[in-house]
Amino acid sequence: MGRKILFVTTDQQRYDTLGCNGGTLARTPVVDALASQGIRYVRAHPQSVVCMPSRSTMLTGQYPRTHGVWMNGVPLPLDAPSIAEELRRHGYRTALVGKAHFEPYLDPFLRFQENAQGTMGTRPPGGAHRGFEHLELANHSAIGFLHYAQWLAREHPEAVGNFYRPLNTALEVSAEPGGDTGAPQVKVNEIERSWYHTDWVADRTIAWLDSLGPDDDWFCWRSFPDPHHPWDPPQSEIGRIDWREVPLPPGYSERAEDRERIIDAKPRHWRLWYDGSLVTNYEAPADWVPATLTADQVREVNARNAIECELIDEALGRVIRRVTERGWSDDVDIVFTTDHGELQGDFGLLFKGPYHVDSLMRLPLVWRPAPASGTPAAVVTSPVGLVDLAPTFCAIAGMDPPAWLQGKRLPIDDTDARSRSFEQVFTDWDSDLFGVEVHLRSVFRDGLLCTSYARGSVHDGTEGELYSIDDGPSQIVNRWADRAWRARRDELLSVLRDHHPDEHQPRLRLEAPV
């Protein structure tokens, strides 16, 4: 019997939503306790700030430029490497419960297995899918063919219509307002809390764990759909936080002229989106104008987001209690993270897109090694990436890392990080949607975040952004054109050119917008 792995991901969760990371709005005692017992990473970055490329990196241990999922809607090839498959070959029982999103969701003809799996049961055809022998899948809504939607329609059909409908009649992302402030993608959801997908993911995880033998080694990826928009948690929980008392985030300037001055110092697509004239990401509603976002709407969105984070924390606590009851607690490694962040009012914006700033790039990451390993608690300040997760799972399982992995085992402290050259982390954005093409390449190193823009629909290839964390956490002062910073900028651009992986050839086909 070896060490077991509980891999917990959320969707679109900011670094500062956890108490252990300085968050003050959501109460997250379960994850905070894991951080105090284990290793908390101060600078964990995704390799893409959008779902499908980032989740594919977690599964493959490869950069998007290598596994080929360059934007949402590009399916990860079925023969792509999978850390779950490696663990299964090593004798691990494997499951994914919750959100997968390695394949497009806008799939009315069920061309992709993950969307069709809800009609097949929980065991994939052939015994495993991407290395997972058990699949129970959920998304943000109660419509469709995933297991959660099928379960809710069968067991509680009266609750299906309570969720926000993410698409309008034109199959565009909806901006329908709701709540007390008329914020986009906010809705009152009268669903029973125990029927909501957060608790459903916990329930199904516990049921799968209960199906295992006491001596089984297991890898369970437990993937919560929240706190990704839409913000429609159970209405019974809304009283946890009064949005009227929520402070505005430091990245939100109340005066429009201040917001616009900050945005105008960035590349052109920032202001174009703010004014509502350019949308570069399908998940941002095309008919919503960010300049109309009010301070109260920011407060209400952030209150609902924090409530969703609290529900996730409580659901995780239930699973950990069950692990303890099964007698596994000393031998279980728990890793908690997310795929990317959320703007949540910073710069007067919501959602996500080609905006490489801390709101989207700085992620919560906590690794609580199995207590039996004797690993001391630590805080790691060196930069790490989601590409480093799969090698870490190999190390936990006592496996030699396969040659296709591009990351490294996560460091257990800063001394370990320095000895193994954790110096920089790369993040990409590529999109070509509805005739709008945007390409970003970023490196974080030595406290500096440098982003270079390739030629696209609104950029000529000369633009970029350069921020120092010494200037503050919100990436307000863009030093790209500052002569005093030119040498550092050029040094970081050389790092991007010399160390970034080559692009996947041929380029994989875009099959759907999301």
Side-chain angles (χ1 to χ4, degrees), residues 251-253 259 263 274 288 290-293 298 345-350:
Y252 176 82
S253 300
R259 294 196 299 274
I263 285 176
Y274 178 81
W288 176 67
T292 64
L293 182 69
V298 172
D346 283 357
F347 313 104
L349 304 170
L350 293 176

Side-chain angles (χ1 to χ4, degrees), residues 435-492:
V436 179
E437 188 175 355
V438 183
H439 306 283
L440 285 69
R441 303 285 180 265
S442 293
V443 59
F444 180 86
R445 180 185 172 108
D446 300 328
L448 298 175
L449 174 60
C450 179
T451 300
S452 173
Y453 286 71
R455 184 182 296 273
S457 299
V458 293
H459 306 114
D460 64 9
T462 65
E463 300 97 327
E465 297 170 75
L466 177 65
Y467 304 107
S468 169
I469 60 173
D470 291 338
D471 289 332
S474 297
Q475 285 83 44
I476 290 175
V477 182
N478 183 10
R479 299 188 177 276
W480 178 263
D482 190 329
R483 288 180 175 270
W485 288 79
R486 182 169 296 174
R488 293 306 309 276
R489 183 196 73 181
D490 292 347
E491 175 188 340
L492 292 170

